[in-house]
């Protein structure tokens, strides 16, 4: 099979690699038809986080089940499925409480499991991980384009909104105009927010935020951005979604959070360790910080139902589509901010 390989900063190639096979009765082999390049992939692509050279990449899979182990009961060959960015068993203490990202039997898509930016993957714990798409939508390309973000960014934006406590009639601020931030706007609207202020630096992305339900946008930088967001919300919002992961974004989220409010954070925290976190700002104003790695599997069925009935459509985040050979080009486009998110049709 062919798969995308990380060879070092700025260097992604598509190469022949061993195809994964069934290794345990709980495994399933999936032929990947759609996947994506994630903003979090840019951290290793830019050399800002460690990754083993020669490793397979990708963590947002959708495809057709090819083969299942003898213990798999939830899917069968021929089923259209998608899966979260992490594998989970579905039955341990943490999976049962909806915290699938802390699964004690958890696994990743890299290594011998295939990497999702490739032709085949092995899902260990298939019953706890794979989500079946109903047959009537299995070959509907427009629907599949809307379902694919459920593997990561839509559910991650939703986790930010849930963690921030967004509810009916609320005012919230979304920090970040990448795919996760835009999906955070969608999620806040879905949860009933009345006012949604989207903060970012790219006018084209803020246009998408407005399409998704943002009532105001802030494109300024630095102190001007803080002042504008605070002014728009009469002193800050009770619910703030941090959807970037950079230390500066976390600082912004805390600053624009109203005293007594909550910051829901889902951005992978890069730079926070080095610069520190404004704990005093949280403490002094009784601000709450909640969030972390999104338990995508816990949200999958509810979000899928809304996508399938047409009330939730994150597909505009895909502004570039490539085939498997185009994956290196897709990384470059996202790195240079020429695409919000790249869809890969394998």
């Amino acid at each position: 099979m062919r798969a995308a390989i990380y060879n070092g900063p700025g260097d992604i190639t598509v190469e022949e690699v061993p195809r994964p096979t069934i290794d345990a009765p709980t495994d399933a082999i999936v032929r990947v038809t759609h996947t994506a390049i994630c903003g979090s992939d840019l951290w290793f692509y830019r050399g800002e986080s460690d990754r083993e050279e020669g490793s397979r990449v990708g963590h947002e899979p959708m495809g057709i089940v090819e083969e299942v182990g003898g213990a798999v009961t939830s899917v069968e060959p021929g089923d259209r499925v998608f899966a979260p960015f992490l594998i989970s068993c579905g039955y341990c203490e943490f999976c049962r409480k909806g915290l699938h990202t802390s699964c004690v039997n958890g696994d990743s898509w890299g290594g011998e499991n295939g990497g999702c930016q490739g032709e085949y993957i092995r899902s260990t714990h298939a019953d706890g991980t794979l989500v079946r798409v109903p047959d009537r939508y299995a070959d509907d390309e427009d629907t599949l384009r809307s379902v694919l973000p459920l593997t990561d960014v839509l559910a991650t934006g939703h986790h930010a909104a849930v963690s921030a406590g967004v509810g009916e009639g609320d005012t919230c601020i979304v920090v970040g105009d990448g795919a996760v931030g835009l999906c955070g706007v969608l999620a806040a609207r879905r949860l009933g927010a009345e006012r949604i202020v989207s903060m970012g630096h790219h006018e084209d992305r803020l246009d998408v935020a407005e399409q998704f339900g943002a009532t105001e946008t802030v494109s300024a930088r630095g102190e001007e951005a803080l002042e504008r967001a605070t002014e728009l919300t009469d002193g800050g919002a009770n619910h703030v979604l941090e959807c970037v992961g950079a230390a500066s974004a976390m600082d912004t989220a805390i600053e624009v959070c109203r005293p007594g409010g909550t910051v829901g954070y889902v951005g992978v925290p890069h730079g926070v360790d080095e610069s520190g976190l404004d704990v005093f700002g949280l403490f002094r104003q009784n601000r709450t910080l909640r969030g972390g790695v999104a338990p995508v599997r816990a949200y999958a069925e509810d979000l899928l139902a809304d996508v399938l009935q047409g009330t939730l459509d994150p597909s505009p985040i895909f502004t570039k589509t490539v085939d498997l050979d185009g994956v290196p080009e897709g990384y470059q486009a996202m790195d240079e901010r020429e695409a919000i998110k790249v869809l890969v049709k394998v």
Side-chain angles (χ1 to χ4, degrees):
M1 63 170 264
R2 299 166 69 242
I5 304 294
Y6 170 73
N7 299 297
D11 187 1
I12 301 288
T13 55
V14 178
E15 303 177 15
E16 290 286 338
V17 298
R19 176 174 163 174
T21 58
I22 295 289
D23 192 46
T26 53
D27 290 352
I29 302 299
V30 177
R31 175 175 58 85
V32 177
T33 60
H34 301 69
T35 186
I37 300 172
C38 184
S40 64
D41 292 332
L42 295 180
W43 292 112
F44 64 75
Y45 182 75
R46 293 169 175 165
E48 296 177 10
S49 65
D50 294 332
R51 189 180 187 95
E52 181 182 356
E53 294 186 8
S55 62
R56 307 181 203 181
V57 293
H59 57 258
E60 299 166 285
M62 175 188 287
I64 305 295
V65 176
E66 291 261 313
E67 184 182 359
V68 298
V72 175
T73 60
S74 63
V75 297
E76 59 185 30
D79 284 348
R80 166 76 62 182
V81 296
F82 69 91
F85 56 77
L86 288 175
I87 292 168
S88 55
C89 71
Y91 57 79
C92 73
E93 171 193 353
F94 300 107
C95 286
R96 291 199 307 273
K97 67 168 63 173
L99 198 59
H100 297 75
T101 47
S102 295
C103 175
V104 299
N105 302 303
D107 203 350
S108 73
W109 293 110
E112 294 183 358
N113 287 334
C116 297
Q117 291 164 15
E119 294 179 314
Y120 291 90
I121 52 171
R122 172 176 57 219
S123 174
T124 58
H125 299 292
D127 283 339
T129 301
L130 300 179
V131 183
R132 186 175 175 275
V133 177
D135 289 343
R136 64 178 294 191
Y137 303 102
D139 297 312
D140 183 333
E141 193 60 39
D142 288 341
T143 299
L144 297 179
R145 189 180 180 92
S146 297
V147 170
L148 183 60
L150 279 167
T151 60
D152 186 343
V153 290
L154 179 57
T156 297
H158 179 69
H159 188 52
V162 170
S163 297
V166 176
E168 199 72 34
D170 285 337
T171 293
C172 67
I173 295 174
V174 180
V175 179
D177 58 8
V180 172
L182 295 174
C183 287
V185 171
L186 266 182
R189 184 186 67 178
R190 177 179 178 271
L191 292 172
E194 183 175 313
R195 293 185 64 202
I196 305 169
V197 179
S198 176
M199 299 182 70
H201 302 316
H202 307 87
E203 293 293 346
D204 57 334
R205 299 182 179 205
L206 293 175
D207 288 342
V208 177
E210 290 184 331
Q211 177 185 338
F212 281 179
T215 53
E216 292 99 354
T217 62
V218 175
S219 60
R221 296 174 181 267
E223 286 298 320
E224 183 183 351
L226 295 175
E227 291 172 3
R228 179 62 178 151
T230 303
E231 176 188 357
L232 284 171
T233 53
D234 299 318
N238 282 316
H239 314 279
V240 180
L241 289 64
E242 191 285 306
C243 300
V244 180
S248 59
M250 183 67 82
D251 289 342
T252 295
I254 293 171
E255 284 289 328
V256 300
C257 184
R258 202 176 194 85
T262 301
V263 174
Y265 74 105
V266 292
V268 180
H270 284 82
V272 175
D273 289 343
E274 292 82 357
S275 63
L277 181 66
D278 182 17
V279 176
F280 184 74
L282 294 168
F283 175 80
R284 183 171 56 85
Q285 299 291 356
N286 280 279
R287 297 172 174 127
T288 299
L289 186 65
R290 295 186 62 214
V293 187
V296 173
R297 190 62 185 82
Y299 301 131
E301 276 83 5
D302 283 349
L303 294 176
L304 177 62
D306 282 6
V307 169
L308 295 183
Q309 70 181 9
T311 59
L312 186 63
D313 181 14
S315 63
I317 63 172
F318 293 118
T319 56
K320 184 178 180 66
T321 300
V322 299
D323 59 13
L324 188 56
D325 287 325
V327 167
E329 175 192 343
Y331 272 83
Q332 184 177 359
M334 287 186 61
D335 181 42
E336 295 176 357
R337 294 291 192 266
E338 294 175 354
I340 298 175
K341 190 169 180 68
V342 174
L343 186 152
V344 182
K345 297 186 69 172
V346 180

